[in-house]
Amino acid sequence: KNTLNIYSMEIFEKAYPNTLRVIKDNTMLNNILLVPWLVDSYSEVKMFKDIDNYKPKGVIGHFEIANFHVSKTYKSEHGIKRESFKDVKVLSGHYHLKQSSDNIEYIGTPYQDNWTSFGEENGFYILDDETLEMEFIRNTSTAIHLKVYLDSENKDMEVTDGITIDKFKLGAKTDYSIFDNQKVKIYLDKDNAFNKKQIEKIIENVINYRIEILEEIKEDEDIVQDEKFKEYDISKSISEQLDNDYQKQIFNEIHIKSLTDMKE
C-alpha cells in the first residue's frame, strides 16, 4: 500500500529480462509519461511536477480519480480531482468499467469479470504513442455473460449479450455451441416444462449458470439505481464511527463489493 520496494510483477521481470520492463519510476516514452502505482502523497506530487516539467501529451497509470464510476451502480467521491490533470490526456486502469470524460479515459478490463460487466464491450487497445489515437480490438477469446429467454408459447429462444439480440427457433437443429465456455442466466416463463431438454443442452458446456422464472416483464435486475444504496442505514452508521477517510474508503469498497456479490 505504501511502497514499491516489493511488487508482484518482479517475478516476470526476472524471468524475461530482455523483453519485459516494469516501470517503477515516472518514465517518459515519446510523448507519454508512464506512471507506476501512486503509493503516497509524495508520489502524487512528483507525478504532477513531472507533467509540468516534461509536458507530455498523455499520461498512463493506475489512478483513483474522483467522480468516476467504480461500477454501474457506484460512483467514487474519493481520489484525485480530475481538474488536476488539466489538458493532458489520461489513460488509466483501476476502475473496471470502461468510461471517459473530457481528457480522462478509463480503458476498463480486457475481459468480463462478473455480471456487472454485462453489456460491456471489453478488449484491448493499440495506442499510437505519437498521436495518442487508439484502436480498439474486442476480446472474443474469453467468457462473456449471456441472458437467455425461453418462450414456451412460440418455442423460441432469445439470446443477448447486452449489446445485440439474436432469436433462435428451438428444435433439433438448434446450435447450442454458442453457449460453450460462457456464463449464462436463463429466464423461463411459468409454462416452460417442455424446455427441460433445451435447458440441459444450454448448460451442458457453460462455465456457470443461473435459472430464474420470468414473471411478465423482462427487467434488468443487474442495474440498481444509486438511490437504492441509500437505504442501507447500517452502512452509514458504521462509516460514521470510523476514524479517517482512508478507513471509510476501504469500508465503502467492501460494502459495495458485498452488495454486488449478493446480487450475483
Side-chain angles (χ1 to χ4, degrees), residues 5 32 37 45 50 58 83 87 107 113 132 137 159 185 264:
N5 292 337
I32 300 170
W37 174 247
V45 169
D50 287 344
E83 297 82 8
D87 297 325
I107 62 174
D113 48 0
L132 300 191
I137 300 174
V159 181
K185 284 184 180 179
E264 292 179 14

Side-chain angles (χ1 to χ4, degrees), residues 31 57 89 127-134:
N31 293 314
K57 285 185 178 179
K89 174 74 174 177
L127 173 66
D128 187 320
D129 58 7
E130 291 289 342
T131 65
L132 300 191
E133 293 181 353
M134 295 195 300

Side-chain angles (χ1 to χ4, degrees), residues 15 33 56 61-62 65 151-152 160 175 203 215 224 227 253 255 258:
L33 180 66
H62 192 267
I65 304 174
D151 186 336
S152 61
T160 178
D175 180 12
I203 67 176
E215 295 297 333
V224 179
E227 301 84 59
E253 290 175 358
H255 177 225
S258 67

Side-chain angles (χ1 to χ4, degrees), residues 135-152:
E135 177 187 357
F136 176 71
I137 300 174
R138 188 174 183 183
N139 178 4
T140 58
S141 300
T142 56
I144 62 172
H145 295 76
L146 298 173
K147 292 184 179 182
V148 186
Y149 298 90
L150 294 176
D151 186 336
S152 61

